[in-house]
Every structure is written in structure tokens, then in C-alpha cells.
Amino acid sequence: MEYVLNEDNACIVKEIIQAIHNNSVYLSEIDGETGDGDHGVNMNKGFLMADVRIKEDDSFSEALKKLGKTLVMDIGGSMGPIYGTFFSKLSRTLRTEEKIDAKLFEEALKNAEEGLMNLAGAKPGDKTLVDTIVPAYESFKEAQEASKGFKECLEALKIGAEQGKESTRDMVAKLGRASRLGERSKGHLDAGATSCCIILQIMADGMIKRMVE
Ligand SMILES: [Mg+2]
């Protein structure tokens, strides 16, 4: 049975932070096509603040908790609380566990997805990060229910996230600043859907790298 140890795996969260940092200009550029162009800057600020608080020898769930708390408490706008809740819920499901397997991670993703969706107030098709998280979770769940190994489930998650992100290109924004553009929001990726895809893919890669078989 494949699993990822909770202990000493703060590095996975550190890799997510690094990826947001590396993509901050790109994320702001995408946001600027339909919005105010601050998405990458805001995300980078919050994630770097959390980075200072996360110790190398923290567990995976402890690092997720610190990241979630920092985003909720210290980052303004809508994204801080939304992503903060996502990471906090992930952490809460995993925190008492020594080993994280596909079934447990499916449960953690489900709780995190529900928390995020409640707060975002968006449904699939609204051109938000929900359009990334829902297909990513569904792909993972489908693979998990088909008794695929944890690595394969994470690969499925990555594909679902990518397809979900790409699907926002043809959508008309229903919420937020971009919705003011109406039909003209078509042809652009949603910035939140894009950052969500980066987060999920880097998290999946990080877990695949630390998989115990
Ligand atoms: Mg913005």
C-alpha cells in the first residue's frame, strides 16, 4: 500500500510556496487580462509570510496548518480566506495521522474542496478556482474508487486540474471583477483557476516524490 509519511514532510508545502513565488508575475499577468492584476503579488506575499513560519522539520499537516492560518489571518481580499480554508481543512483531516494513503487523502481533499466552495460561493462554470478543484478532486476520487495506487490517483488529480484550468478559457466570468467584462472575459484563463492548478500539481508531485511503497 502506497503512502506518504506525515512527519518531516513540510518540504512538500515549501515546494508549493516556491512554485507560487516562481509564477507570481505570470499569475498577475493573467489576472491583469480581466481584473486588477494583483493575484500573483497577493499570493506571493501570503505564501512567503507562511514560509518563514514553517520549519523544515514540521510535519506535512503542521506546515499546511501554518500556511492556511497565515493566508486567513494576514492576506486581504477574497483569495486569502478561500485558500486559507482549503489548506486548513486539508491539515485538519491529516493532522492525527502518521501515514497518508489514497483513501485518507481523498477524504482530506473532499473536506478542503467543500470548505473552499462554501466560501467562494461559486459553482462549476463560473470561471473561478472551483473549475480547477472540482475536476481535480473528481479525477482523484474516480482513480481511488477504481483501486488505483496512490501515485496513479495523484497523476489523475494533476490531469483533472489541468483540464479544469484550461476549461476556464472558454467561460464567461460570473463573479468578481472579471464578470464586469461579460462576454469579453472569454478567451482568458481565470487567475484563481491557474494558481489552484499550480498548487494541486506541485502538491501531487511533492507527494509522489515522497511516496513510500
Ligand atoms: Mg485581482
Side-chain angles (χ1 to χ4, degrees):
M1 176 86 83
E2 294 174 329
Y3 63 88
V4 174
L5 280 174
N6 195 4
E7 204 180 359
D8 280 339
N9 266 328
C11 46
I12 300 169
V13 178
K14 294 256 184 199
E15 286 167 5
I16 297 171
I17 292 168
Q18 187 63 46
I20 290 299
H21 179 66
N22 293 346
N23 284 284
S24 65
V25 172
Y26 171 62
L27 290 172
S28 281
E29 271 170 18
I30 295 175
D31 190 30
E33 290 171 10
T34 58
D36 54 4
D38 63 353
H39 186 59
V41 176
N42 285 341
M43 292 286 282
N44 189 40
K45 188 174 150 221
F47 280 61
L48 286 184
M49 279 172 82
D51 193 40
V52 178
R53 296 170 184 167
I54 297 168
K55 296 202 277 306
E56 298 286 346
D57 60 352
D58 278 342
S59 65
F60 181 45
S61 61
E62 182 64 19
L64 287 168
K65 184 179 155 190
K66 287 180 180 174
L67 176 57
K69 201 172 171 195
T70 302
L71 296 178
V72 169
M73 303 295 287
D74 297 320
I75 299 303
S78 55
M79 277 305 171
I82 290 171
Y83 275 127
T85 300
F86 177 77
F87 290 115
S88 298
K89 296 262 181 191
L90 269 185
S91 166
R92 215 164 297 166
T93 316
L94 305 175
R95 69 182 168 185
T96 57
E97 308 291 334
E98 200 180 312
K99 294 174 180 178
I100 301 161
D101 63 12
K103 191 173 180 307
L104 179 68
F105 195 64
E106 190 264 311
E107 193 189 320
L109 275 176
K110 183 174 191 280
N111 293 337
E113 181 204 56
E114 282 172 2
L116 176 150
M117 284 183 70
N118 286 338
L119 218 66
K123 18 178 227 323
D126 286 349
K127 196 177 177 100
T128 69
L129 75 176
V130 165
D131 294 304
T132 297
I133 184 75
V134 169
Y137 167 67
E138 292 299 332
S139 308
F140 185 94
K141 189 174 164 224
E142 221 169 89
Q144 202 266 320
E145 283 172 354
S147 303
K148 305 268 194 222
F150 196 3
K151 270 190 195 171
E152 266 187 89
C153 295
L154 289 166
E155 292 294 351
L157 173 100
K158 284 169 62 184
I159 294 167
E162 184 69 30
Q163 288 172 345
K165 176 196 80 176
E166 282 301 324
S167 75
T168 66
R169 207 183 283 278
D170 293 325
M171 291 176 186
V172 175
K174 308 281 191 331
L175 295 169
R177 226 173 260 269
S179 66
R180 298 177 201 166
L181 296 177
E183 282 290 324
R184 281 181 295 137
S185 63
K186 260 192 184 179
H188 303 280
L189 286 173
D190 177 65
T194 306
S195 59
C196 188
C197 182
I198 293 168
I199 289 167
L200 292 173
Q201 291 190 332
I202 297 296
M203 182 157 58
D205 280 337
M207 293 178 83
I208 289 168
K209 252 189 270 174
R210 276 90 186 179
M211 193 67 67
V212 182
E213 292 172 56

